[in-house]
Amino acid sequence: VLTIAGAGFAALLEAGLAIQCKFGILGVTAANVTSDGTISCETPSAVVPASYPLSLVVAQEWDMQVLSSFTVYGDEATMAGAVFPEGGAYNLQTSLTLSAGSFQEYGPILCQVGGVVGSIGGVVDGGRSVSCNKPALPDTFRYSTGIYPIELSLNGQ
């Protein structure tokens, strides 16, 4: 999900004007006005990671460029090659390092382990790794030992 900050979005919605986010040649997704100053849009998936111009389309007539370059990653592009450490106590916060080869700094990085959001992390090792904290998982995880998915948000959302 991409969040765009601005002003006057609620007035466009009240006037009955449809708002969409256009990601270059990848296509258009519906914009959700979350407040007068913010819009959120689902980002399209890409087969190959690439950068595209981002614009807001209002009433299918006005096309306003927001960013000259917005990078979309394919799912396979963000797979971590290694996680360190590979294990730990469920109920303790633990520092994690995920290595994948190429991370960009787009804002706060959030780690989510087993559906529980951890604290903000950052890009380290020249962009080759991300460091973040695994949250202390609640007691409902006490007897659920095993492998948990780790999800990253590279822009704090």
Side-chain angles (χ1 to χ4, degrees):
V1 175
L2 169 71
T3 301
I4 300 171
F9 297 132
L12 295 173
L13 194 61
E14 288 170 8
L17 300 174
I19 307 168
Q20 299 172 309
C21 292
K22 181 178 176 184
F23 296 86
I25 62 171
L26 282 182
V28 176
T29 63
N32 180 30
V33 176
T34 55
S35 74
D36 187 52
T38 56
I39 288 178
S40 64
C41 300
E42 290 288 327
T43 56
S45 60
V47 176
V48 176
S51 294
Y52 302 92
L54 171 67
S55 58
L56 286 178
V57 178
V58 179
Q60 297 183 343
E61 293 181 31
W62 302 296
D63 193 334
M64 301 168 283
Q65 186 166 327
V66 176
L67 291 172
S68 60
S69 178
F70 179 80
T71 305
V72 178
Y73 293 96
D75 289 340
E76 70 286 345
T78 56
M79 296 285 290
V83 177
F84 180 82
E86 292 183 9
Y90 79 93
N91 61 343
L92 298 177
Q93 180 173 295
T94 307
S95 179
L96 295 176
T97 301
L98 294 88
S99 302
S102 179
F103 288 104
Q104 303 262 337
E105 191 79 54
Y106 292 112
I109 294 174
L110 295 178
C111 284
Q112 192 174 137
V113 178
V116 180
V117 178
S119 62
I120 294 175
V123 175
V124 295
D125 196 23
R128 290 188 297 273
S129 301
V130 166
S131 178
C132 61
N133 288 321
K134 176 199 84 60
L137 300 175
D139 280 339
T140 55
F141 285 77
R142 176 182 297 268
Y143 300 107
S144 302
T145 60
I147 298 172
Y148 291 98
I150 300 172
E151 296 180 35
L152 295 176
S153 168
L154 300 178
N155 63 0
Q157 296 184 23

